[in-house]
């Protein structure tokens, strides 16, 4: 891992490269488009590892309803390149939370923490 903590995620399909950084149990990631790209900037995302599909679905629904942010529950294997790139084990499930422009990782983590507790994201212990 780079000294800054940022790593390049190996591309799974042809698309813009992804840069990621470990933030505790979470992974912050963003797709980096070139200046000449016809695509607009992609939102930064937090990948949240979750222990069960039920908790992942509940957490994604809570994020969408309480914060109004886009959140997608998916199998952990769908986010495995991001988790593996930063040295974390691939979880059973993951919730990809798209961060609104201007929302920092610290602010997002603070807002997501109580919702994760409600949904039982990390289980007991």
């Amino acid at each position: 891992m780079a000294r800054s903590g940022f790593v390049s995620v190996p591309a799974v399909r042809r698309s813009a490269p992804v840069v990621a950084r470990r933030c505790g149990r979470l992974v912050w990631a963003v797709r980096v488009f070139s200046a000449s790209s016809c695509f607009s900037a992609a939102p930064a995302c937090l990948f949240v590892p979750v222990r069960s599909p039920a908790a992942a679905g509940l957490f994604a629904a809570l994020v969408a309803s309480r914060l109004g942010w886009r959140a997608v529950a998916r199998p952990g294997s769908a986010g495995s390149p991001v988790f593996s790139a930063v040295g974390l084990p691939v979880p059973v499930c993951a919730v990809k939370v798209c961060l609104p422009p201007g929302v920092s990782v610290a602010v997002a983590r603070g807002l997501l923490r109580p919702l994760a507790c409600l949904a039982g994201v990390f289980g007991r212990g």
Side-chain angles (χ1 to χ4, degrees):
M1 186 176 307
R3 202 175 267 245
S4 67
F6 292 96
V7 296
S8 177
V9 178
V12 176
R13 42 186 130 110
R14 289 185 203 173
S15 59
V18 173
V19 175
R21 184 176 193 180
R22 182 177 177 170
C23 301
R25 294 183 191 181
L26 313 180
V27 178
W28 173 90
V30 67
R31 191 169 299 280
V32 182
F33 292 106
S34 67
S36 62
S37 173
C38 61
F39 296 103
S40 59
C45 297
L46 279 177
F47 287 81
V48 181
V50 184
R51 293 185 179 183
S52 75
L58 177 57
F59 180 59
L62 285 169
V63 170
S65 67
R66 302 268 177 103
L67 300 176
W69 298 353
R70 186 168 158 241
V72 180
R74 52 190 0 181
S77 59
S80 63
V82 172
F83 287 99
S84 298
V86 298
L88 289 171
V90 176
V92 172
C93 297
V95 175
K96 179 181 176 181
V97 178
C98 297
L99 302 180
V103 175
S104 71
V105 172
V107 168
R109 287 177 68 179
L111 293 170
L112 293 172
R113 187 174 294 114
L115 302 179
C117 291
L118 278 174
V121 164
F122 303 120
R124 294 191 164 112

